[in-house]
Amino acid sequence: MTTNLELPTTMDRAPSGGIARRCLMRLNLYFSKRRERLMLSCLSDEQLRDIGVSPSEARVEVNKSWFWG
């Protein structure tokens, strides 16, 4: 007994935009995180309290690596 069941292959998937696009998107994410952390580092203790972040939490976030964290 045979069946006509087809197994999915990589050719059946929708294109994801290629490796260059994925790399650019990843770099954009890294730079966005870094930009946000730099802005966080400029906030006063009062401003940090307004957004619900303690100074120690902000310090930990700011000190994370822009690339790996």
Side-chain angles (χ1 to χ4, degrees):
M1 179 173 195
T2 59
T3 61
N4 292 335
L5 184 65
E6 290 184 25
L7 298 175
T9 63
T10 56
M11 298 301 287
D12 293 337
R13 295 182 187 159
S16 61
I19 193 166
R21 179 184 163 104
R22 289 192 308 269
C23 288
L24 288 174
M25 290 175 66
R26 181 63 57 105
L27 278 174
N28 186 36
L29 175 65
Y30 291 145
F31 287 124
S32 295
K33 285 182 181 182
R34 184 62 186 153
R35 202 171 32 252
E36 290 172 8
R37 289 176 181 148
L38 287 173
M39 291 188 322
L40 187 63
S41 71
C42 295
L43 297 179
S44 68
D45 290 349
E46 184 177 318
Q47 291 170 321
L48 289 171
R49 278 193 300 273
D50 285 345
I51 62 171
V53 177
S54 72
S56 61
E57 291 172 325
R59 208 171 18 258
V60 167
E61 187 65 28
V62 167
N63 290 328
K64 286 184 179 178
S65 167
W66 71 273
F67 191 78
W68 299 111

